Structures are given as C-alpha cells and as structure tokens.
Amino acid sequence: MDALTATLFVHAAATLAMGGAIWFVQIVHYPMMALVPADAFERYERVHRQRTTFVVGPLMLAEAASAALLAWLCPPETRWLGWLGIALLAAIWASTFGVQVPLHARLERGFDARIHRRLVATNWGRTGLWTARAGLSLWLLGAA
C-alpha cells in the first residue's frame, strides 16, 4: 500500500468516526444534558469534557494530520479537494475552540438553559461540516 492510499484510509476512518460522534452528540447527548439534576450537573459536565476529550482528541489529531498530508500527497487534479477538506476542518476547529469549548466551560459552573440551548444550536454547524468532511473523505477514497 502506498503512502497516499494509507493516508486516505486513516483520514476516512478518523473523519467517519468524528462524523458519527458528532451526530450522536447532537441528537442524543447534548439534548439529554438538560435532564441531569442540577446538584450533579457541574460534576457531570466536568467528567463529560474529560471523557469526550479522551475519545475524540486522538481522532481529531489523526484527522488533522492526515488532512494535511493529503493536501501534499493528492495528485494535482484532486489536490484542491485536500485543501477544501482542510478549510472545512479549520472551520470545525474554529467553532470547537471558539464556541463550543467556551460554552462547555460556562456550563461547568452549573446548568444554564440559555447556554445549553446555544450549545445545541451552534453545534449544528459542526455537525454539518463534519458530515461534509465525511462525504469528502469517502469521495477521495473512492477516487484513489
């Protein structure tokens, strides 16, 4: 297996895993946060952040590294798709660290329905972006 093919497989695996994770979070996990009792919410949020980082951190790093490598390894006729993937990923990371992480930090001080609604609403953007990346990663894999 050559470097491009191996990178495409790693990239697709990481991106599809993140795509699945974000849909689970958006449809199941985030809405259920409102059901956690107020006296347990701060601890729940803190543990949620720790465990989520443990699961998605390595996937996000693998996705970013393989996306950067694809922009380098893709043949000239599909290199623009690699750069499109990086642009989508940059938007995801900007949303994650500029919007969702600060909202989680605020929720760690206690449940706030307004902040929770904003978290759920703004996460739809990441969900859409990761869904687009998942499709792109499959298309690149199929085109190889």
Side-chain angles (χ1 to χ4, degrees):
M1 181 180 307
D2 67 352
L4 174 59
T5 304
T7 304
L8 285 166
F9 275 110
V10 168
H11 182 255
T15 302
L16 291 169
M18 285 306 305
I22 199 71
W23 274 100
F24 174 81
V25 164
Q26 184 64 28
I27 300 299
V28 177
H29 190 64
Y30 278 178
M32 289 179 62
M33 291 174 109
L35 303 176
V36 176
D39 62 337
F41 190 83
E42 289 177 31
R43 182 168 187 273
Y44 170 84
E45 175 64 25
R46 188 173 45 260
V47 172
H48 156 79
R49 287 180 68 185
Q50 292 167 348
R51 291 182 181 180
T52 299
T53 300
F54 179 76
V55 172
V56 303
L59 291 171
M60 289 177 72
L61 292 174
E63 182 183 32
S66 60
L69 199 51
L70 282 178
W72 178 268
L73 293 174
C74 278
E77 61 273 8
T78 59
R79 190 161 293 141
W80 70 274
L81 293 170
W83 286 105
L84 173 60
I86 288 174
L88 293 170
L89 195 56
I92 289 168
W93 281 50
S95 179
T96 298
F97 296 105
V99 179
Q100 283 77 36
V101 167
L103 291 172
H104 276 288
R106 290 176 71 184
L107 286 171
E108 202 169 287
R109 295 189 297 258
F111 184 78
D112 179 321
R114 184 180 61 82
I115 299 300
H116 177 254
R117 282 191 304 274
R118 186 160 180 234
L119 177 67
V120 173
T122 60
N123 197 58
W124 277 113
R126 285 195 312 171
T127 303
L129 290 166
W130 251 312
T131 301
R133 281 195 45 75
L136 180 62
S137 73
L138 288 173
W139 194 51
L140 282 167
L141 190 59

